[in-house]
């Protein structure tokens, strides 16, 4: 969810953190009880007190169907366009938080979408790419406004995975789209905040992952295993390129690969049933 104020008009604790991160203030300072930044307040309004626990009313970002057009192994990049790309330029930015409204660094975000004509590139990797959140939990994607195709409203697909956590698959939507009312998959909780920007458009959305957090800054992700690391009693290995039908063992159990991918830490077979089926 991306609301900036509560129903009582108070600026939410997450909004304070988001504004501070954007201004370059260290996250721990914000979380120690400092007042909201002046730009988040109206004239004469007192700074709201920050509660010791996150109380924005945010549930984890809801999942959505992957759809038929996902492809693994997208390139690492933050821009999906070049000088000759057709379409209205769009920048999507935001933060990834855990359940205590702490930003999470090192989160994988894998985006894919249709081109301006509503077509997906199933042969190559146009309008496909992945990136990782920075030390402040921020991400930024440069792309275009996706086109329409039968049965769907405008949307952008994304998969997110915090270090060592399961994958969230969901979609992002545009406000004031006529097809939002007829698309059976559309979820208003996944609406981005969008504004015009000199012939282009700028969008914002903050993800909330189902990652337990204690008060305090996000822990530094632990180093991932190397490509040669073998889990105890298993053949599955980080960095290995698996194809559909490959068989591995992990934790004493056997698994069969369901779709081609390159293994990453956190994508162990028990964690990702979309990739592995128990034999």
């Amino acid at each position: 969810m991306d609301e900036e104020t509560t129903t009582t008009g108070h600026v939410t604790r997450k909004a304070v953190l988001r504004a501070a991160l954007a201004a370059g203030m260290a996250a721990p300072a914000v979380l120690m009880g400092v007042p909201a930044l002046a730009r988040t307040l109206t004239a004469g309004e007192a700074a709201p007190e920050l509660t010791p626990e996150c109380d924005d009313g945010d549930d984890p970002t809801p999942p959505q169907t992957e759809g038929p057009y996902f492809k693994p192994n997208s390139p690492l990049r933050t821009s999906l366009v070049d000088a000759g790309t057709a379409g209205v330029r769009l920048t999507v930015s935001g933060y990834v938080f855990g359940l205590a409204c702490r930003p999470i660094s090192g989160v994988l975000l894998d985006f894919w979408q249709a081109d301006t004509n509503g077509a997906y590139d199933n042969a190559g990797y146009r309008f496909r790419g992945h990136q990782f959140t920075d030390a402040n939990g921020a991400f930024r994607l440069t792309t275009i406004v996706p086109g329409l195709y039968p049965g769907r409203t405008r949307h952008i697909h994304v998969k997110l995975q915090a270090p060592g956590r399961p994958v969230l698959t969901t979609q992002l939507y545009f406000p004031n789209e006529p097809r939002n009312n007829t698309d059976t998959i559309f979820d208003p909780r996944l609406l981005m905040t969008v504004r015009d920007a000199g012939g282009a458009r700028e969008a914002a959305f903050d993800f909330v992952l189902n990652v337990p957090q204690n008060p305090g800054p996000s822990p530094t992700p632990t180093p991932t295993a190397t490509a040669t690391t073998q889990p105890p009693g298993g053949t599955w290995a980080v960095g290995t390129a698996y194809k559909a039908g490959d068989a591995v063992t992990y934790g004493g159990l056997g698994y069969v690969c369901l779709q081609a991918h390159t293994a990453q830490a956190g994508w162990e077979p028990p964690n990702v049933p979309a990739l592995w089926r128990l034999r």
Side-chain angles (χ1 to χ4, degrees):
M1 298 176 68
D2 204 37
E3 287 82 356
E4 296 296 317
T5 58
T6 66
T7 55
T8 61
H10 284 178
V11 178
T12 66
R13 188 167 184 266
K14 189 178 72 176
V16 174
L17 176 57
R18 192 182 197 282
L21 291 171
M25 183 182 295
V30 180
L31 300 172
M32 287 171 62
V34 298
L37 299 184
R39 74 183 198 179
T40 68
L41 304 175
T42 58
E45 182 183 359
E49 294 183 2
L50 299 180
T51 57
E53 297 290 339
C54 180
D55 192 24
D56 287 355
D58 276 319
D59 294 321
T61 301
Q64 289 225 303
T65 178
E66 177 183 278
Y69 301 119
F70 172 69
K71 289 180 62 175
N73 305 322
S74 69
L76 175 63
R77 58 187 178 188
T78 59
S79 176
L80 307 184
V81 302
D82 55 36
T85 301
V88 176
R89 294 295 189 269
L90 171 70
T91 301
V92 182
S93 61
Y95 295 88
V96 180
F97 297 98
L99 294 179
C101 283
R102 314 298 188 207
I104 309 175
S105 63
V107 175
L108 167 69
L109 298 100
D110 194 348
F111 294 96
W112 71 102
Q113 66 171 79
D115 64 17
T116 191
N117 297 314
Y120 288 85
D121 179 9
N122 296 319
Y125 287 91
R126 293 181 65 248
F127 298 110
R128 300 176 186 272
H130 72 273
Q131 60 180 278
F132 296 87
T133 55
D134 65 15
N136 291 324
F139 70 92
R140 183 180 180 88
L141 175 72
T142 302
T143 183
I144 64 165
V145 176
L148 293 167
Y149 58 90
R152 293 302 317 275
T153 190
R154 295 187 203 276
H155 61 280
I156 297 174
H157 295 269
V158 59
K159 287 180 179 284
L160 300 94
Q161 185 186 31
R165 302 292 299 180
V167 177
L168 168 69
T169 301
T170 192
Q171 302 180 34
L172 299 178
Y173 295 100
F174 295 76
N176 304 316
E177 287 285 333
R179 290 195 187 181
N180 288 351
N181 297 322
T182 58
D183 189 326
T184 58
I185 300 175
F186 170 75
D187 188 332
R189 295 173 295 175
L190 296 169
L191 280 169
M192 297 182 289
T193 300
V194 183
R195 70 182 184 92
D196 293 330
R201 304 186 81 182
E202 294 179 348
F205 190 87
D206 294 334
F207 295 94
V208 179
L209 296 184
N210 189 12
V211 175
Q213 296 174 313
N214 294 320
S218 295
T220 302
T222 55
T224 58
T226 65
T228 58
T229 298
Q230 301 288 338
T235 59
W236 180 89
V238 169
T240 302
Y242 293 106
K243 63 182 183 299
D246 284 349
V248 301
T249 56
Y250 184 88
L253 298 175
Y255 296 87
V256 175
C257 180
L258 298 178
Q259 61 174 309
H261 67 284
T262 298
Q264 301 183 36
W267 289 14
E268 293 83 0
N271 294 339
V272 280
L275 298 179
W276 295 99
R277 174 175 54 81
L278 187 65
R279 285 195 293 176

